[in-house]
Amino acid sequence: MTGYIELSIWDIVLAALFLALNAVLSITLRLRLERQLLIAALRMIVQLLMIGLVLRAVFAAGSPWLTLALACAMVGFAGYEILARQQSRLAGLWGYTLGAGAMTAAGSIVTLVALTSQIQPEPWWSPQYALPIFGMILGNTMTGVSLGLDTLHATLAAERRAIEAQLLLGRTSLEAMLPMIRRALRSGFTPIINAMAATGVVSLPGMMTGQILSGVDPQEAVKYQLLIMFLIGGATGLGVLGAVIGSAQRLTDSRHRLRLDRLADAGR
C-alpha cells in the first residue's frame, strides 16, 4: 500500500461525536467534567490548527533560524508546564530555569546526536525531521522532569524532621537525602518505563501508526519507532537525573543544612 487516505472535515466531526458522548454522560451522571472536556477539546483544536499553519510555513521556508526559533518556543512552553505541574517548586528563577534547563540540555543533546549520526537528513537541521523528533523527546522528558521534581519536593517536605535528625547525627546532606532522591528518580523514570513495556503489545505508538497509515512498510516503521523510544528513554533519564540532583543541591548548602525555605508554594 502506498500513499495515505485523506480525511474530510466530516470524518473529524464523526470522531468528535464520541467525545461529545462523554460530555453527555458527564452531565447525566453529574460528574461535572463536561466543561473541562469542552475546554480541553477546543484548546486542542486551536493549538493543532495553529501549529499546522506554522509548520507548513517553516517547512516551506527551510530556514535554520526559523527552525531554531520554533524549537525555542517549544522549550519555553514545556518549561512552563514543568513549573505548573509542581505542587511546590524552587523559589525565584530557579523554579523555571532548573527544570527547563535540564529538559532542554538532555533533549537537545539526544536530538542532535540522532539527526547527525542516525537519521542524517539533508540538511541535518531539516525542520521536517528536527522539529517532530525534538517535540516527541521534549514532551516525554518534560513529563519525567516534572514528576521527578514534584516527588522530590513533596518528599523532602514530608520527611523534613527525619532528614534533619540524620544531619544532626553527622551525616552529609547527600546521605540524608539519598532515599528521597531515589524515590524522585523512580517517579520520573516510571512513565517512560511503562510506555516501553506496553509498546507493541498493548499499544501501537502514534509515530509508528502514522507511518503505517501513510503506507510505510511495518518493519521499517518498527525500526523508526525503536529509535525514537530509545532516544526518548535516554533523554528522559538524563533530564530527570539532572533536574533532581540539581534541585537537591539547591535545597542544601555548604554547611549541610536542609534549605526548604528555598521552596515556594505553587499556589494550588
Side-chain angles (χ1 to χ4, degrees):
M1 183 178 68
T2 59
Y4 66 95
I5 300 174
E6 186 173 350
L7 298 177
S8 69
I9 186 63
W10 298 112
D11 296 323
I12 308 300
V13 171
L14 180 60
L17 291 178
F18 290 103
L19 187 63
L21 177 61
N22 289 334
V24 172
L25 292 174
S26 175
I27 295 173
T28 304
L29 299 175
R30 299 180 180 179
L31 301 178
R32 298 180 179 179
L33 294 175
E34 60 275 4
R35 178 182 172 84
Q36 296 179 38
L37 282 171
L38 177 60
I39 292 175
L42 290 176
R43 180 178 174 180
M44 176 186 66
I45 292 170
V46 172
Q47 290 178 164
L48 285 176
L49 289 175
M50 289 179 61
I51 196 62
L53 294 174
V54 170
L55 287 176
R56 175 183 288 181
V58 172
F59 289 174
S63 168
W65 302 113
L66 283 178
T67 303
L68 179 61
L70 187 53
C72 289
M74 294 163 63
V75 167
F77 283 109
Y80 173 78
E81 286 296 322
I82 290 177
L83 190 66
R85 295 182 185 189
Q86 299 175 57
Q87 294 289 339
S88 60
R89 62 198 181 204
L90 292 175
L93 289 176
W94 284 96
Y96 181 88
T97 56
L98 181 66
M103 171 194 66
T104 304
S108 299
I109 291 171
V110 171
T111 302
L112 287 174
V113 171
L115 291 173
T116 57
S117 65
Q118 295 160 312
I119 301 175
Q120 297 182 333
E122 185 59 41
W124 67 267
W125 46 261
S126 175
Q128 183 178 354
Y129 294 89
L131 292 176
I133 291 173
F134 186 55
M136 285 187 286
I137 292 174
L138 203 66
N140 286 272
T141 306
M142 174 192 72
T143 299
V145 169
S146 62
L147 284 173
L149 289 176
D150 189 51
T151 301
L152 177 68
H153 299 161
T155 306
L156 290 179
E159 302 292 337
R160 178 173 187 168
R161 292 185 178 180
I163 296 171
E164 291 179 338
Q166 293 188 57
L167 294 174
L168 288 173
L169 292 174
R171 292 202 171 192
T172 66
S173 56
L174 177 61
E175 291 172 337
M177 296 169 62
L178 192 56
M180 295 75 189
I181 292 174
R182 286 173 175 162
R183 191 181 305 177
L185 292 174
R186 290 192 190 100
S187 178
F189 274 91
T190 296
I192 187 58
I193 292 174
N194 291 341
M196 289 190 294
T199 296
V201 177
V202 178
S203 66
L204 292 180
M207 177 182 176
M208 179 176 171
T209 301
Q211 286 186 309
I212 292 175
L213 290 177
S214 65
V216 174
D217 181 83
Q219 289 298 319
E220 195 65 26
V222 165
K223 289 191 291 184
Y224 269 93
Q225 189 60 53
L226 286 173
L227 173 65
I228 294 300
M229 291 303 293
F230 287 141
L231 295 175
I232 289 174
T236 299
L238 293 174
V240 172
L241 183 63
V244 169
I245 297 300
S247 186
Q249 290 180 337
R250 175 63 181 166
L251 294 174
T252 59
D253 58 23
S254 58
R255 297 172 61 184
H256 297 283
R257 295 179 300 179
L258 186 62
R259 296 296 304 274
L260 293 187
D261 58 294
R262 293 175 175 173
L263 283 177
D265 189 356
R268 293 186 178 183

